[in-house]
Every structure is written in C-alpha cells, then in structure tokens.
Amino acid sequence: MTYEEFADSRLAALLRYAVMLTGDPHQAQDLVQDTMVRVQLNWRRVARADSPERYVRRMLTNQYVDWRRGSWMRRVLLRAEPDDAVPVPADHTQHAVDRDQVWSWLSRLPRRQRATLVLRYYEDLPDAEIADILGCAVGTVRSSISRALATLRAEHVEACS
C-alpha cells in the first residue's frame, strides 16, 4: 500500500476520530494534517508496521496528548457537525443542549482520559488495543476510563442538582 492509497482510504476516519478527541472540527483538521505530514515523512516505517492504521492512530493520539501549541491549550467548545446516520430526535432543542453538555463535560477531562473514552466508546476498541495506541498498560487504560467516567458522573450529578 502506498501513502496515497492509505490517505485516500483512511483520512475521513482519522478526521472523525480527531474531531471526537478535540471537540473542534478545525483543530481536528490541523491535528490530522500535522500527523499525516509526519506519516508521509516516515511512511516506510509506518508501512512496515503490522497495522499501519493502528500505528497512525497512535501517532495522532500522541500528537493530540502532547501538542502544546497555543491554540490547543485553550478549550474551544463548538457544536458537532450533524451526523446523517444518527436519527434526528423529536426535540431538536433538547438534543442540542444535551450535545453541548456532553462536549462541555468531555472538554474538562485531561487529554489522556478523554482519549481513552473516545477510543473505547467512539472507536469501540478493546482495552489491549487502547493500551497499545496510548503506549501504556491495560490496567492504566482501565483506571483512566474509570476515573474519567467517575468525573463525568460527578459532573452530571452536579448539573442535575
């Protein structure tokens, strides 16, 4: 597989993943663009990996967790683009409020916790694969997910009070 073939087949999925990590379509595009430049420069190594897609997803996740540019340090909450695959709820206002609230809660999580939740619940990956992408132990993934969910539960209880 060439770099161009890989980019053509996986770019949209990587962008969706990046949007879930960042909560901002524009920052997600920047993140994917910077990652894909690094992928192209290191394509021989990426292509030799057992799973080039997993290797690139790990690069993207690490780039997200480590990125220290000023625009990444501030948290920008934008509404997600509508997904045609998701049925439209009867109450559009409540859907928008719920979506904004979820983005707000996710934005308060540390980057690694947010990445673990996105990899688990959006990408539907098992603990071992998440650990491989994040470069940590399976137990670390589980505790990170547990802490993130506990934080979200506390935020939810606080918001409902």
Side-chain angles (χ1 to χ4, degrees):
M1 173 182 291
T2 68
Y3 169 79
E4 290 78 16
E5 292 169 337
F6 177 83
D8 285 344
S9 66
R10 300 309 309 151
L11 196 59
L14 290 170
L15 185 57
R16 285 191 303 271
Y17 172 58
V19 168
M20 293 304 297
L21 285 176
T22 64
D24 179 348
H26 302 289
Q27 288 182 346
Q29 289 173 349
D30 290 344
L31 176 62
V32 170
Q33 180 179 347
D34 287 355
T35 302
M36 292 306 288
V37 166
R38 290 176 52 224
V39 168
Q40 186 178 29
L41 293 173
N42 297 296
W43 179 247
R44 287 186 190 137
R45 184 176 10 169
V46 173
R48 285 192 310 262
D50 291 337
S51 172
E53 181 179 355
R54 188 178 325 164
Y55 192 96
V56 171
R57 193 178 344 199
R58 182 176 185 174
M59 289 175 72
L60 191 141
T61 303
N62 288 339
Q63 184 83 356
Y64 166 73
V65 170
D66 295 336
W67 211 359
R68 298 292 182 227
R69 288 183 8 190
S71 63
W72 282 88
M73 293 305 289
R74 64 185 158 89
R75 306 242 174 167
V76 179
L77 298 176
L78 298 177
R79 292 186 177 94
E81 295 296 320
D83 184 358
D84 296 332
V86 177
V88 177
D91 183 358
H92 301 290
T93 305
Q94 187 58 47
H95 175 70
V97 169
D98 292 344
R99 182 189 58 225
D100 290 347
Q101 186 62 60
V102 169
W103 278 118
S104 175
W105 289 334
L106 285 174
S107 72
R108 294 182 197 139
L109 292 174
R111 289 175 185 264
R112 189 165 285 272
Q113 286 182 10
R114 184 173 181 171
T116 58
L117 288 183
V118 170
L119 289 166
R120 164 61 60 74
Y121 296 107
Y122 183 74
E123 295 289 321
D124 199 28
L125 297 180
D127 292 342
E129 198 166 333
I130 296 169
D132 183 49
I133 289 169
L134 295 176
C136 62
V138 172
T140 303
V141 168
R142 290 181 183 149
S143 69
S144 183
I145 289 171
S146 177
R147 286 187 191 119
L149 291 175
T151 300
L152 292 178
R153 274 188 219 102
E155 294 277 341
H156 177 70
V157 167
E158 187 177 303
C160 291
S161 299

